[in-house]
Every structure is written in structure tokens, then in C-alpha cells.
């Protein structure tokens, strides 16, 4: 066992900020090219879609990673801003999401293509069981902010989603979010 | 892998309540007899010290348990109210605490007797690494409320702490919390 010392991080329970701020991932629309149904217009490639700030831990079994994610509001041709989404490389690893601000949808899918969509709102605790790919989608008018925790040995499989997408999309219809089938899924 | 469906629980980010409320553990001073340095007076045995409400999950590897704990304020002969405290039965399993209300101390110890004490205050995220027994202590004047997440296969070893205690105690001195050596530890 890799023994480390206990430590404390401060989490802003309204805006999600971490002090000290640790590793920061920033994804732009350029990084998300191919994830939306529509192509991203060239003039929007530098637009930041989401940021992840993580509390570090050893990546071996038994440890936990936790992070704050902030997704900016907006759409690409009516499809709401979202994270890339992934399976865990160790596919049986679960994840817990605690939403701190905003309004979202947690889109999930099994390898067999079963979809699930759960609401994200301040105080919602979403349980993503092992075996479910997960993507969070901001359907509100402000930032969607959530804190997540998962086993540190889970790892990431982004490629399956990059190649196949999710079976459902979350799109704006008459100003409200709607879950629709992904016409490209399983194609 | 034990596949389950995703689900959502609502967490009150101020008071810690869960909806739906799931399994509830309630510990009285009678249950805590022998954990405080002083004996619990007979007339206080029914007094509730803390309650735990848990979001259920399968207990196999890869899943996560999460729960809200509320510790009432008070002392037994100057020693602040606290949880029993435990090692995880799978001792390398970590735990994350997010404090929602109140003021506390997270008291930890390795099997070799190294102590650690971290602050608990609204927004603090305490990382309890594998190998560290952990007990939370309410040093404030109102309830101490925290949300915790940990691997579902961690299990509980309460007996080591029941037999040996922690190397340090948190006591009230001149109205303020102070960490002192436990005279009975290692005796």
C-alpha cells in the first residue's frame, strides 16, 4: 500500500472552486470537434466548453479521485454544451456526481447501447454505476458546476465514445431541453 | 460485474438531508460507552450523538458508498461528541469527507500510532488515505454535518479502535478545542 498523509482542500459549495487549485483540464470547442452532431464553426474553435480541476491522489486501487467540473452554457447548432464523456478503462468503476450550480442532464449508456438520462440540479447526487459511460450536459442559462468522486484506478476510455457517440443527444427545442435519438449511433 | 441502473438522490447542501432517506444508523451515548475517556453518566445513555443516512450501492469492488453524518454538539466530561471511528476492513481503502455545516476535527491514526488531525468546516474536503483510521469530532456549538464517499468494498473494522482508542483526544479547554494525547492509548 502506498501510504500518504491526510490533506484538506477547500471546495466552494456554490461556485465549485478548489483551494488550492490543482490540475486543470480545459476543453475548447476545437477539442470537441466531432463530438457534436454538427460541425463546430471555425470562428468558435477557441471557445472554452468546460474546465476540470482535480484533487490529486495516488492512482492505485483503494484511492479516490475527486474533481470540480464547470460547463459553460451554450449550444452548437442547438445541441447543448457537454463533456466529452467516457467509459472507465476499468469498466466496473462507479462514479458519484454532486451538482453545486446550474441545470443539467447526466447522459449515460451501457456498451450494449441502453441509454439513461438523470437530472442534474443543485444538490442532486447522481450514481453512475459501473458499466455506464457518462457525459454531463448543461441545459441551463448559467454554468453547470458539479463535484465528482470515483475510484482512482478507474482510468478513462474516451475512444469508444469518440467513435460511436451516445445513443441519445440533448438538444434545445422551442427553448427547452429534449432528449432525442442520435441518428449516427450504431450506424 | 453486478450491473445496476443509474439513480439520483437529493442532498440538502446545508443540512445534509437525503431524499429519499435510506438506511439510518443512530448512535446514542449508550452505544458509545467506553469510547470517551470518562464514563457516560447513566442518565445520558439515551442521548443521540450522531446519525448516518446512506445512499445504498452494491458492496462489491468498483462501487461507491456515500452518506451524510450529523453529529450533535456536546461533550462527555469535556471530550467533544464524535463518531466511533474505524479502520476500513480493506485497510487500503480511502475516504473523502465534504463538510456541509458546523465545525469539527477529523482525527486519524495509522496502525503504528501516527496521529493526524485536519479541520472540518463548511466546504472542506478531507482526504483520508488508505491505512488511516478516522473519527470525526464536533467542536462547534451546532450540528456537524458532512457528506462522505468511499469504496463500497471497504468494510468496517471498529474493534481496533474500541480496544485501543485513538492516540489523541479532542477536548474543551477554556471553551476552545484542544488536541491532547490519549493517556490510555498504547497502555
Amino acid at each position: 500500500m502506498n501510504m500518504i498523509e491526510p490533506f484538506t482542500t477547500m471546495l466552494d459549495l456554490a461556485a465549485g472552486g478548489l483551494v488550492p487549485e490543482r490540475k486543470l483540464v480545459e476543453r475548447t470547442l476545437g477539442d470537441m470537434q466531432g463530438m457534436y452532431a454538427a460541425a463546430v464553426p471555425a470562428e468558435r474553435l477557441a471557445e472554452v466548453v468546460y474546465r476540470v480541476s482535480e484533487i490529486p491522489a495516488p492512482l492505485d486501487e483503494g484511492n479516490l479521485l475527486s474533481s470540480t467540473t464547470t460547463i459553460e452554457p451554450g449550444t452548437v447548432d442547438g445541441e447543448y454544451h457537454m463533456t466529452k464523456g467516457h467509459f472507465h478503462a476499468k469498466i466496473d468503476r462507479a462514479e458519484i456526481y454532486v451538482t453545486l450550480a446550474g441545470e443539467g442532464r447526466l447522459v449515460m449508456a451501457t456498451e450494449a447501447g441502453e441509454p439513461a438520462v438523470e437530472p442534474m440540479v443543485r444538490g442532486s447526487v447522481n450514481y453512475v454505476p459501473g458499466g455506464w459511460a457518462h457525459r454531463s450536459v448543461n441545459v441551463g442559462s448559467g454554468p453547470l458546476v458539479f463535484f465528482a468522486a470515483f475510484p482512482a484506478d478507474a482510468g478513462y476510455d474516451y475512444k469508444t465514445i469518440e467513435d460511436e457517440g451516445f445513443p441519445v443527444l440533448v438538444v434545445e427545442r422551442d427553448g427547452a431541453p429534449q432528449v432525442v435519438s442520435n441518428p449516427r449511433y450504431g450506424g
Side-chain angles (χ1 to χ4, degrees), chain A:
Chain A
M1 179 173 47
N2 186 358
M3 286 283 289
I4 62 166
E5 297 288 316
F7 63 96
T8 298
T9 305
M10 289 304 301
L11 167 65
D12 182 329
L13 289 168
L18 295 173
V19 176
E21 183 172 89
R22 321 284 179 121
K23 190 181 91 178
L24 186 71
V25 171
E26 188 173 272
R27 303 248 194 237
T28 64
L29 279 176
D31 298 323
M32 299 286 289
Q33 193 65 272
M35 311 298 290
Y36 292 89
V40 175
E43 68 274 17
R44 292 187 63 190
L45 292 176
E47 190 179 321
V48 173
V49 181
Y50 65 99
R51 296 179 176 84
V52 183
S53 188
E54 188 175 88
I55 299 177
L59 299 185
D60 46 351
E61 182 180 317
N63 283 288
L64 298 165
L65 286 174
S66 58
S67 59
T68 291
T69 300
T70 301
I71 309 177
E72 297 300 328
T75 75
V76 171
D77 197 26
E79 186 178 4
Y80 289 103
H81 279 353
M82 58 192 181
T83 58
K84 295 183 80 167
H86 55 254
F87 285 95
H88 288 150
K90 284 198 177 180
I91 200 168
D92 70 348
R93 269 35 182 173
E95 186 154 346
I96 289 178
Y97 282 62
V98 181
T99 296
L100 302 177
E103 190 192 352
R105 298 289 184 274
L106 182 52
V107 174
M108 293 162 280
T110 64
E111 288 182 298
E114 182 189 349
V117 180
E118 291 284 320
M120 300 178 75
V121 64
R122 180 169 171 78
S124 65
V125 181
N126 305 118
Y127 194 86
V128 183
W132 292 81
H134 39 286
R135 157 182 288 170
S136 33
V137 181
N138 183 354
V139 302
S141 54
L144 175 66
V145 184
F146 58 92
F147 183 74
F150 53 101
D153 66 350
Y156 305 97
D157 163 19
Y158 285 105
K159 188 167 188 320
T160 303
I161 297 301
E162 285 170 356
D163 290 350
E164 301 178 14
F166 278 83
V168 296
L169 310 176
V170 186
V171 298
E172 187 175 19
R173 291 279 187 272
D174 301 322
Q178 194 171 337
V179 177
V180 299
S181 291
N182 179 358
R184 294 193 302 177
Y185 183 79

